[in-house]
Structures are given as structure tokens and as C-alpha cells.
């Protein structure tokens, strides 16, 4: 079973965390690529990254992709998230846990921004 | 002339601001939709949003789209950026300045995340 764990920063503002949960639900509806899709938070919200990984494994995941929902490659992306993932990896050497590039690294972002700006600019 | 101004939060970490400038250059290369593409920062980096808007107008923009490069709809997106845009709007009533939805509001984000996670999960 393949699982995707979307990792966001987490916020004191509940609406921001709910926005992540709503996006997670939309990812679930996107297609059949992943059997299990959930989110986790680096801080300030639940579940934590280790808890999210363990929940996916309990749900049956044998292959798990962790994707940081971040725009820039700061310390959170380069150190904190890999550290949290590695802390669980050693508990489950039989599970294939990979870390995807953070969202901001996507080569598709530029095209998506142009598309979004073009739509906004053509509204009456 | 049509211009796009990408607005990021700005960071104390110079590499994060440079990442935004590199993305801005990639947007420039994406296609002919905008004649002028530049970036501005809400805080901690230059140019500011009003400075960025004024520079685009000086460069000849008659139509300007401001796009917040943010993932969640917090105070920055709902108040601070619109406030900064409005402060310049009154100086240039002849210029069509519109505010695009923030990146996180894009309906394309879910599909993009699945794509990115699928690629990461299929790496050997």
C-alpha cells in the first residue's frame, strides 16, 4: 500500500491548519496514485510528523512519501523535516519511506503562477 | 503593457529571497503572457510592495497583476498585502491593478503535489 503524507508547518491559527486538512482531502480525491493520504505538522498542530508516519504504517502503508508543503528551502525543509522522518525510519526498517522535494522546488510552480495571474488579469 | 508582481513574505535568510528572485526569472521565461515580471516582499527584503508596483508602472505597465506567493490565507494575505496594494492604487487611478488569489488557493495545487510525490516515490 502506498501512502502520501503532506507535511505543513502548522499554525496557531486553526483556520490555516484546517486549510491543510481540506487540501489533504482534495489530494485524496485527485486520483488513484496513493491509497492513503494524510497530513502532519512540523509544530503547533497535530499530528506531528512521527505520529503521521506511524499512523500511515498502522493503516497498512508499505511505501510512504513525505512531501513538505513549504515554499522555501530553509532550516525546516533542510534539517527539521528530514530529522523527524529519520527518527521514525529506524523504527521501521522494512517500510520504504522517501522524502519528496518541497513544493517550492517544483518546476511546475512558475507555469501555475502565470496561469493564476492570467486568470486574475482577465477578470472583468 | 501587462505586468506581473509576485509578492513573497521576505526572509532574514538571503538565500530564501534569492530563491524568489530565481523563481521570478523562471516566470519571465515561461511565456509571453506578461511583458514585465518582477517580485516584491511584504517585509524583511527589498523592494517593498509599493516600490515594486511603482517600478512596474515606471517600466510602462498599464495593467498589473499582484500575486501573493503564500500558502495560507492568514492576515498577510487577507489584510497586509491588499492594504499595501491599495496604498498605491490611489496614486495611480489610471492603472488597472488587480490582486490574484494567493498560490495556496489554486485548484491546481493538489494535482501538482500528487505529481511531485509520485515522482519521488518512483525513484530507485
Amino acid at each position: 500500500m502506498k501512502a502520501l503524507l503532506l507535511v505543513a508547518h502548522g499554525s496557531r491559527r486553526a483556520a490555516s491548519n484546517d486549510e491543510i486538512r481540506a487540501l489533504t482531502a482534495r489530494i485524496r480525491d485527485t486520483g488513484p496514485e496513493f491509497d492513503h493520504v494524510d497530513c502532519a505538522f512540523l509544530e503547533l498542530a497535530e499530528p506531528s510528523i512521527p505520529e503521521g508516519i506511524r499512523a500511515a504504517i498502522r493503516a497498512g502503508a508499505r511505501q510512504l512519501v513525505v512531501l513538505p508543503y513549504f515554499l522555501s528551502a530553509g532550516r525546516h525543509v533542510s534539517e527539521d523535516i528530514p530529522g523527524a522522518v529519520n527518527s521514525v525510519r529506524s523504527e521501521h526498517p522494512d517500510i520504504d519511506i522517501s522524502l519528496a522535494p518541497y513544493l517550492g522546488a517544483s518546476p511546475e510552480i512558475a507555469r501555475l503562477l502565470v496561469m493564476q495571474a492570467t486568470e486574475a488579469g482577465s477578470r472583468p
Side-chain angles (χ1 to χ4, degrees), chain A:
Chain A
M1 196 187 106
K2 264 181 101 163
L4 167 58
L5 188 69
L6 186 71
V7 169
H9 185 280
S11 173
R12 281 187 186 84
R13 191 174 157 271
S16 290
N17 302 327
D18 288 343
E19 205 175 342
I20 301 300
R21 295 184 184 106
L23 172 60
T24 302
R26 277 164 49 212
I27 293 174
R28 256 179 225 128
D29 295 340
T30 293
E33 289 87 348
F34 293 92
D35 310 294
H36 176 97
V37 179
D38 221 328
C39 58
F41 300 91
L42 182 62
E43 54 190 45
L44 303 171
E46 298 290 329
S48 69
I49 298 171
E51 284 165 3
I53 294 176
R54 289 185 196 116
I57 293 172
R58 275 198 307 274
R62 303 296 299 170
Q63 190 185 354
L64 175 65
V65 178
V66 178
L67 200 163
Y69 190 60
F70 282 70
L71 289 179
S72 68
R75 192 172 44 82
H76 290 327
V77 164
S78 64
E79 294 177 31
D80 300 340
I81 296 175
V85 170
N86 284 334
S87 73
V88 188
R89 227 180 223 137
S90 53
E91 292 171 14
H92 297 279
D94 50 326
I95 310 291
D96 172 10
I97 305 178
S98 56
L99 189 55
Y102 64 103
L103 172 64
S106 167
E108 297 293 317
I109 285 271
R111 195 191 49 74
L112 194 154
L113 290 167
V114 167
M115 207 165 74
Q116 190 147 339
T118 304
E119 279 168 23
S122 59
R123 280 193 307 241

